[in-house]
Amino acid sequence: MLTDGIALTDHHCHGVVAADLDRPGFEQLLGEGQRGSFDSALGLAVRRWCAPVLDLEPHVDPERYLARRAELGWRETTTRLLRATGVTRWFLDTGFGGGRAEFAAVADGEVREIVRLEHLAERVIAEVAVETTPFEDIETALRGRVRNAVGLKTIVAYRCGLDFPRTDTPPDEVPLERRLTDPATLGWLVGLGARISGEFGLPLQFHTGFGDTDLRLRHADPLLLTDFLRATADSGTSVVLLHCWPFHRNAAYLAHAFDHVHLDLGLTIPYVGQRAAAVLAEALELAPFRSMLYSSDGYGLPELHYLGAVLWRRGLGRLLDEWIAEDVMTTADAEALVIAIANGNAAHIYRNLSIAHQ
């Protein structure tokens, strides 16, 4: 396939569990809620594609798969799967799933940080005195962190939805809570992230679409960002819509309409399994090819990082083979598209890649 052997930039992912897992612990990470299971498209994909990396036959039964995983231990399993992805650059959301150093110890390639806005703000609020209003502290901390980062991320979709109030003015006081949910504070924080994004040339990532049960899915439709995107169109900010399913066509429209908008399919790809080609085709109906990025959004299980890569390669490869056979595009056009999504588009928008990381 045209996608075989192409180096990938995984522009959004998380760390892995640094421990051996029993079946309930493993299966819980095969789903966004409490219903993760081998009895799913994702479970089938683990048994088909991950098993050979662990020296097992394809389609091995779950108990044998987990027994082999335990024989190898979490570190060897993780190292094998991550290093089989073909990823040469990993952009790690350190707000969930562990830090950069731990991940770099088991993965090949360059590991860079994505700073999660809410995680940083909550940490600052916890550290400052109760009688202060820490908006300046939050901005100072964020400006310090972004100097060695490649991007910013917000999970405002989880906290109050993507129809958050847009403001550059902080509220009169910040709620001193461990988990920020106040819409006014979150709106100010996202606005701060957008300004710093434009100033430092750092893309601002938004969780959109499906997630765990903390999320109200109808509040995670990226179309709710339309006014925000209109307001930031000429600001120098690059916006990346993550995951997107089942709103991937809506995200593709936004990338079509706004030049500073980009998208990926992230964890959608391993979760839909054999349907990856169909979902990629739906996103590419309208999204400019320059706007699409690769990511796995792998978290917890290295199987998710690996399946993100394998199923993306298979899905896009099958789709492009079909388009070439039907004379929709030339082989040269298809090769250029693969390189763009695999790593070229990320290299273009993540401008801090030229800064040596510490």
Side-chain angles (χ1 to χ4, degrees):
M1 286 187 177
L2 291 171
T3 52
D4 291 345
I6 297 293
L8 299 176
T9 293
D10 192 339
H11 88 106
H12 181 80
C13 62
H14 305 269
V16 299
V17 174
D20 293 318
L21 296 167
D22 59 13
R23 181 162 181 166
F26 186 91
E27 286 194 295
Q28 184 173 347
L29 292 169
L30 289 179
E32 287 286 1
Q34 300 298 314
R35 292 174 59 86
S37 171
F38 273 104
D39 187 21
S40 63
L42 178 55
L44 288 175
V46 168
R47 294 169 52 214
R48 168 60 185 91
W49 300 108
C50 298
V53 182
L54 306 188
D55 306 319
L56 296 168
E57 291 294 319
H59 309 297
V60 67
D61 68 80
E63 291 300 333
R64 180 69 188 106
Y65 182 85
L66 293 174
R68 178 57 176 164
R69 212 178 185 276
E71 290 170 10
L72 293 172
W74 76 266
R75 183 176 292 276
E76 175 65 16
T77 298
T78 297
T79 299
R80 287 192 185 196
L81 289 165
L82 293 184
R83 296 184 181 183
T85 59
V87 172
T88 58
R89 280 175 167 159
W90 309 85
F91 299 169
L92 200 70
D93 174 358
T94 54
F96 172 73
R100 198 176 76 190
E102 297 90 339
F103 191 82
V106 289
D108 277 337
E110 181 182 6
V111 182
R112 301 293 300 273
E113 182 184 24
I114 299 291
V115 176
R116 185 183 289 202
L117 296 176
E118 292 80 8
H119 180 261
L120 181 141
E122 287 161 352
R123 192 179 69 186
V124 171
I125 291 169
E127 291 173 352
V128 299
V130 173
E131 63 270 15
T132 66
T133 304
F135 293 107
E136 291 184 2
D137 301 88
I138 292 171
E139 181 166 353
T140 298
L142 182 56
R143 288 182 177 278
R145 282 283 294 280
V146 300
R147 297 186 185 279
N148 290 312
V150 289
L152 306 173
K153 157 88 178 286
T154 174
I155 54 168
V156 68
Y158 274 93
R159 301 303 179 83
C160 70
L162 294 177
D163 52 350
F164 55 87
R166 293 185 297 110
T167 178
D168 292 334
T169 303
D172 293 334
E173 60 182 26
V174 64
L176 296 173
E177 54 187 358
R178 294 185 63 183
R179 185 177 187 274
L180 283 177
T181 58
D182 174 60
T185 303
L186 290 165
W188 169 81
L189 184 62
V190 174
L192 173 64
R195 293 194 300 278
I196 291 179
S197 165
E199 181 180 340
F200 285 84
L202 301 173
L204 176 58
Q205 302 177 349
F206 281 83
H207 177 102
T208 70
F210 78 121
D212 65 37
T213 53
D214 282 344
L215 187 78
R216 291 178 173 83
L217 186 57
R218 64 190 176 89
H219 294 159
D221 185 339
L223 288 181
L224 296 172
L225 290 170
T226 300
D227 289 343
F228 172 85
L229 297 175
R230 189 177 292 117
T232 56
D234 299 316
S235 67
T237 300
S238 292
V239 172
V240 186
L241 308 175
L242 303 174
H243 324 317
C244 301
W245 189 94
F247 308 118
H248 47 287
R249 280 173 157 158
N250 294 359
Y253 157 73
L254 292 172
H256 174 88
F258 295 99
D259 192 53
H260 67 310
V261 175
H262 311 266
L263 73 151
D264 72 18
L265 294 175
L267 203 58
T268 298
I269 296 297
Y271 269 61
V272 300
Q274 187 66 11
R275 290 283 295 168
V279 177
L280 280 161
E282 289 171 350
L284 288 169
E285 288 169 347
L286 210 57
F289 296 162
R290 68 179 182 276
S291 70
M292 287 284 292
L293 303 170
Y294 169 76
S295 86
S296 68
D297 191 35
Y299 69 95
L301 300 177
E303 283 85 351
L304 296 176
H305 300 76
Y306 178 69
L307 289 173
V310 168
L311 295 175
W312 178 86
R313 292 181 194 277
R314 284 179 49 80
L316 186 61
R318 288 170 55 203
L319 176 63
L320 296 183
D321 283 349
E322 177 185 315
W323 286 0
I324 292 169
E326 295 179 358
D327 199 26
V328 173
M329 68 192 325
T330 67
T331 300
D333 288 334
E335 290 172 344
L337 174 57
V338 169
I339 292 170
I341 300 176
N343 57 65
N345 293 339
H348 178 70
I349 69 167
Y350 287 92
R351 286 170 278 177
N352 261 17
L353 285 175
S354 60
I355 300 174
H357 64 287
Q358 298 177 356

